[in-house]
């Protein structure tokens, strides 16, 4: 036993040394996070929720890749268990138990198996979406720590042996190497990721509801938006350090797929690299177009510009579709970062993309991006005798028409919706000339001042009337009214037309016939599916009219954007392909003759594909066809 005592002290001591080194590295990293501005954090609530956020919320995203899910469960679980069990061996009764050391060896064996799974994704050939660089050393360090730890624990269980010093040295090399990588290497995400889940800037994401509204900007603040790393709150800087460079965001990004100069993974890395002069070079897929990021570094270094790390074209390529956020296993908020940077460009520098200047200026001056008379919004309804709420003072349903009302094509959708409301006997009305734009376009482009002006004006208008719910066929208007107006005092019950029409069908107020001869694939609008979590109602409605419904490869909350959000159509950053062309190609793969849509932006973008093949029909148009067939 005397020959074993030093080793039973040294081996646990190694793990405690690893922990101490990791804490030092975290403290050095935290010095960078403190460069950010203050942010309120509910620490006790976050700490209490950490196990669930990690084991449920994070792993729900990780599990979308079955291999990665198994790999992560085995390597992370094994690493934590083996390290904790070894650390506890400082207690003499445990250190003296050979059965305990067999248990430790088994935990290291699990870690070893996980390490092999990690290595298989990088050797002999690395998966394209994964970053190389220091991440390539991760499986080597894991193998050394797991292999050395397993051998050391086995030798302790068996009474020692000549190989013990070699096994311990191997474990030390791997373990101390992993701990040292907490500052700049791949293990940084383990520490930063846990802290990020505790101090997440959007804790509502873990409460079973979409938390997607942009935070209001204090227009009296000394600086509007973010120009440098120090302009972000400290917990957002922390969140960018949580990135594991897995590349899921770049795979999901429509702008990246279209060859526009945006890669969400590279964007997050550039935010981190600008903050820290010592950050290792990026070793993943670059921005499309081959532009090499450069520029000064430091908390006060500029982030955006032709000579900075993030080119303005990268910033304006984003459609704000949140596909990157949806796919991120660490729940990083890429879109919030993009909008914060846009706010500075627009509000402080007046640096809007050239084609976006007109729509934003018209929105400020005319209350509508096209500069058209507000009263002309109801022109689509010629002959329908559209009721205006000002003439009644109240209505069961207030129909919010949105910008699609000015478009001749989408006017057909709104006419179908109005006819269905009349068929169901719904007492509804519109604002008519009092309806301004919600400000969604201005806000996504970074013009928070115009958005707030419109929001307050619309809220003042709505306060003059009595109504039960607001109904809209525009997911962008839905999101603004439902989720973003409450911050300014506008609290409304807002329903999308797909959910409302489904209510009417189920209540027996609409009696559609079946349309079994139609093969339909449904395209999910980003602002309905990802921003508001609504994916079931449109499908249930299509099923109620008996069409043959087929799904695209990317559907639901993981659907691909049409390219129409975030001001992308007016930013008009060129790429190698067009996003709507890519989406229509995915629709064509289903063999469906009709692409059902539920958003005016999606209608315009997908109908703009000249060789699209399938017909574009709003769900309201399909339902009206079924109702008229059933008469």
């Amino acid at each position: 036993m005397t020959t074993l005592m030093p080793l039973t002290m040294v081996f646990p001591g190694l793990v405690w040394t690893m922990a101490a080194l990791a804490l030092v590295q975290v403290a050095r990293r935290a010095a960078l996070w403190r460069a950010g501005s203050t942010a309120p954090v509910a620490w006790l609530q976050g700490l209490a929720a950490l196990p669930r956020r990690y084991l449920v919320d994070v792993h729900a995203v990780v599990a979308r890749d079955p291999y990665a899910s198994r790999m992560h469960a085995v390597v992370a679980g094994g690493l934590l268990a083996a390290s904790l069990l070894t650390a506890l061996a400082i207690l003499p009764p445990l250190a003296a138990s050979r059965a305990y050391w067999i248990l430790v060896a088994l935990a290291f064996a699990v870690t070893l198996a996980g390490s092999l799974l990690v290595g298989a994704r990088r050797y002999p050939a690395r998966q394209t979406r994964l970053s190389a660089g220091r991440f390539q050393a991760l499986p080597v360090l894991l193998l050394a720590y797991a292999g050395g730890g397993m051998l050391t624990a086995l030798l302790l269980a068996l009474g020692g042996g000549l190989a013990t010093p070699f096994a311990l040295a191997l474990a030390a090399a791997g373990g101390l190497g992993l701990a040292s990588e907490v500052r700049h290497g791949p293990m940084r995400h383990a520490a930063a990721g846990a802290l990020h889940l505790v101090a997440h800037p959007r804790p509502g994401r873990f409460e079973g509801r979409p938390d997607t509204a942009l935070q209001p900007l204090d227009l009296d603040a000394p600086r509007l938006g973010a120009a440098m790393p120090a302009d972000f709150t400290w917990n957002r800087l922390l969140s960018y350090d949580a990135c594991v460079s897995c590349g899921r965001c770049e795979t999901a990004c429509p702008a990246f797929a279209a060859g526009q100069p945006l890669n969400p993974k590279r964007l997050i890395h550039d935010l981190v690299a600008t903050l820290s002069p010592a950050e290792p070079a990026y070793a993943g897929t670059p921005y499309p177009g081959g532009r090499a990021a450069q520029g000064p570094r430091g908390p006060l270094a500029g982030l955006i510009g032709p000579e900075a790390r993030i080119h303005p074209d990268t910033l304006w390529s984003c459609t704000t579709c949140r596909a990157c956020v949806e796919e991120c296993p660490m729940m990083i908020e890429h879109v919030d970062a993009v909008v914060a940077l846009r706010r500075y460009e627009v509000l402080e520098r007046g640096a809007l993309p050239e084609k976006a200047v007109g729509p934003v200026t018209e929105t400020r001056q005319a209350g509508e991006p096209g500069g058209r008379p507000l009263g002309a919004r109801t022109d689509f309804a010629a002959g329908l005798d559209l009721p205006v709420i000002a003439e009644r003072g109240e209505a069961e349903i207030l129909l919010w028409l949105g910008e699609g009302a000015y478009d001749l094509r989408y006017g057909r959708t709104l006419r179908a919706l109005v006819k269905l409301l009349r068929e169901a006997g719904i007492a509804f009305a519109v604002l008519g000339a009092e309806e301004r734009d919600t400000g969604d376009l201005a806000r996504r482009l970074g013009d928070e001042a115009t958005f707030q002006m419109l929001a307050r004006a619309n809220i003042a208008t709505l306060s003059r009337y009595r109504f039960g719910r607001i109904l809209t066929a525009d997911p962008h208007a839905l999101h603004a009214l439902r989720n973003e107006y409450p911050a300014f005092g506008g609290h409304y019950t807002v329903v999308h037309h797909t959910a409302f029409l489904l209510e009417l069908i189920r209540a027996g107020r609409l009696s559609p016939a079946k349309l079994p001869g139609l093969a339909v694939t449904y395209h999910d609008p980003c602002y309905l599916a990802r921003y508001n979590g609504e994916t079931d109602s449109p499908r249930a409605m299509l099923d109620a009219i008996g069409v043959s419904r087929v799904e695209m490869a990317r559907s639901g909350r993981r659907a691909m954007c049409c390219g129409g959000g975030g001001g992308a159509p007016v930013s008009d950053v060129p790429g190698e392909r067009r996003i709507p062309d890519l989406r229509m190609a995915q629709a064509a793969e289903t063999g469906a003759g009709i692409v059902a849509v539920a958003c005016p932006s999606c209608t315009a973008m997908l109908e703009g594909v000249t060789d699209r093949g399938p017909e574009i029909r709003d769900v309201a148009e399909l339902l009206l066809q079924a109702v008229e067939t059933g008469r």
Side-chain angles (χ1 to χ4, degrees):
M1 180 65 68
T2 56
T3 59
L4 292 180
M5 283 301 295
L7 183 58
T8 56
M9 294 174 60
V10 171
F11 191 26
L14 167 63
V15 176
W16 286 102
T17 302
M18 288 169 53
L21 176 57
L23 285 174
V24 170
Q25 299 290 58
V26 169
R28 298 175 72 184
R29 199 72 205 176
L32 295 174
W33 306 331
R34 286 199 295 270
S37 58
T38 59
V41 173
W43 284 106
L44 292 179
Q45 180 181 346
L47 286 168
L50 177 59
R52 177 177 175 79
R53 291 178 180 182
Y54 180 77
L55 295 173
V56 177
D57 298 284
V58 167
H59 271 273
V61 180
V62 175
R64 295 172 186 170
D65 180 342
Y67 183 95
S69 179
R70 291 191 295 270
M71 176 197 75
H72 191 262
V74 173
V75 73
L79 184 65
L80 288 172
S83 299
L84 181 61
L85 289 171
T86 304
L88 291 176
I90 59 170
L91 301 174
L94 298 179
S97 169
R98 294 191 175 187
Y100 187 80
W101 286 114
I102 291 176
L103 179 62
V104 173
L106 288 173
F108 273 110
V110 172
T111 310
L112 184 63
S115 305
L116 293 172
L117 293 175
V118 173
R121 300 207 305 170
R122 296 182 175 276
Y123 298 100
R126 174 176 55 89
Q127 291 184 7
T128 304
R129 65 180 173 88
L130 299 177
S131 291
R134 297 173 81 137
F135 276 88
Q136 290 297 101
L138 179 61
V140 177
L141 295 174
L142 286 170
L143 284 168
Y145 179 55
M150 183 181 69
L151 286 173
T152 302
L154 281 174
L155 290 168
L156 283 168
L158 298 173
L162 296 176
T164 301
F166 166 77
L168 186 62
L170 184 63
L176 294 175
L178 288 171
S180 67
E181 291 294 301
V182 168
R183 185 184 179 199
H184 289 303
M187 291 304 292
R188 179 173 67 203
H189 82 270
L195 289 171
H196 164 55
L197 292 176
V198 171
H200 199 284
R202 287 187 178 273
R205 289 189 65 182
F206 305 101
E207 296 172 4
R209 59 179 174 85
D211 184 2
T212 53
L214 291 172
Q215 296 299 311
L217 183 65
D218 179 4
L219 297 176
D220 294 323
R223 188 194 304 277
L224 302 178
M228 58 188 71
D231 289 331
F232 289 99
T233 60
W234 72 268
N235 57 340
R236 289 194 183 273
L237 295 179
L238 161 66
S239 75
Y240 306 146
D241 267 350
C243 176
V244 296
S245 294
C246 65
R248 294 192 189 198
C249 58
E250 76 178 40
T251 301
C253 177
F256 180 81
Q260 293 177 274
L262 170 62
N263 180 338
K265 182 175 74 172
R266 180 65 192 265
L267 176 69
I268 295 300
H269 181 273
D270 281 341
L271 293 172
V272 173
T274 304
L275 174 66
S276 170
E279 183 68 17
Y282 178 70
T285 308
Y287 293 122
R291 177 182 177 272
Q294 50 193 332
R297 297 190 184 190
L300 303 181
L303 285 162
I304 305 295
E307 304 303 323
R309 296 194 68 84
I310 302 173
H311 192 278
D313 284 350
T314 294
L315 195 62
W316 299 113
S317 294
C318 179
T319 68
T320 67
C321 71
R322 288 183 67 88
C324 52
V325 181
E326 182 70 25
E327 295 300 321
C328 179
M330 295 311 299
M331 299 193 163
I332 298 170
E333 294 286 340
H334 310 66
V335 174
D336 286 355
V338 167
V339 173
L341 295 167
R342 286 181 175 184
R343 284 172 169 175
Y344 177 80
E345 289 292 290
V346 174
L347 297 173
E348 296 280 6
R349 299 187 61 243
L352 269 169
E354 182 179 355
K355 294 183 180 180
V357 172
V360 169
T361 302
E362 294 288 5
T363 303
R364 292 172 185 165
Q365 297 177 351
E368 169 318 277
R372 295 156 294 200
L374 297 181
R377 196 187 300 272
T378 57
D379 286 355
F380 76 91
L384 288 182
D385 188 25
L386 204 60
V388 178
I389 198 169
E391 300 170 358
R392 304 181 176 188
E394 62 180 4
E396 175 188 348
I397 296 294
L398 177 64
L399 177 59
W400 190 278
L401 300 174
E403 288 307 294
Y406 289 104
D407 179 70
L408 288 176
R409 166 61 187 88
Y410 204 72
R412 299 208 309 265
T413 295
L414 291 175
R415 287 180 68 88
L417 177 57
V418 168
K419 290 178 180 179
L420 289 167
L421 294 177
R422 291 196 184 283
E423 178 79 16
I426 300 299
F428 73 98
V430 299
L431 286 172
E434 292 188 281
E435 182 185 321
R436 300 174 183 83
D437 183 66
T438 60
D440 170 78
L441 175 65
R443 192 171 221 197
R444 307 308 140 183
L445 285 172
D447 188 357
E448 178 73 4
T450 297
F451 167 77
Q452 292 193 18
M453 176 190 72
L454 288 168
R456 291 189 172 94
N458 281 323
I459 290 169
T461 297
L462 292 170
S463 68
R464 295 199 293 268
Y465 303 112
R466 296 175 57 190
F467 51 87
R469 290 188 284 178
I470 297 177
L471 169 66
T472 182
D474 184 347
H476 296 264
L478 173 99
H479 176 67
L481 293 166
R482 175 191 286 175
N483 300 319
E484 300 194 327
Y485 276 30
F488 303 93
H491 298 272
Y492 315 109
T493 300
V494 190
V495 60
H496 190 250
H497 75 306
T498 56
F500 188 71
L501 292 174
L502 181 63
E503 284 183 30
L504 298 180
I505 294 171
R506 289 176 171 172
R509 300 180 72 171
L510 289 175
S511 301
K514 302 296 183 182
L515 303 174
L518 299 182
V520 177
T521 186
Y522 174 68
H523 164 76
D524 290 271
C526 302
Y527 276 72
L528 187 62
R530 276 189 287 274
Y531 274 79
N532 284 278
E534 183 60 80
T535 59
D536 294 337
S537 292
R539 289 171 169 80
M541 210 178 103
L542 291 171
D543 292 342
I545 61 175
V547 299
S548 175
R549 183 168 60 83
V550 290
E551 294 285 2
M552 287 185 250
R554 291 180 60 175
S555 62
R557 293 175 64 98
R558 306 183 72 187
M560 185 177 186
C561 179
C562 71
V570 295
S571 299
D572 197 25
V573 177
E576 299 169 5
R577 294 166 296 279
R578 295 177 68 248
I579 295 172
D581 293 346
L582 297 176
R583 185 55 171 165
M584 284 305 296
Q586 295 170 4
E589 290 174 357
T590 67
I594 294 175
V595 177
V597 290
C599 170
S601 295
C602 296
T603 302
M605 296 302 293
L606 298 182
E607 281 215 329
V609 177
T610 55
D611 58 346
R612 62 180 182 272
E615 181 184 3
I616 309 299
R617 302 275 301 278
D618 190 276
V619 289
E621 296 175 83
L622 290 169
L623 177 58
L624 180 62
Q625 179 182 344
V627 168
E628 291 178 341
T629 300
R631 287 176 181 164

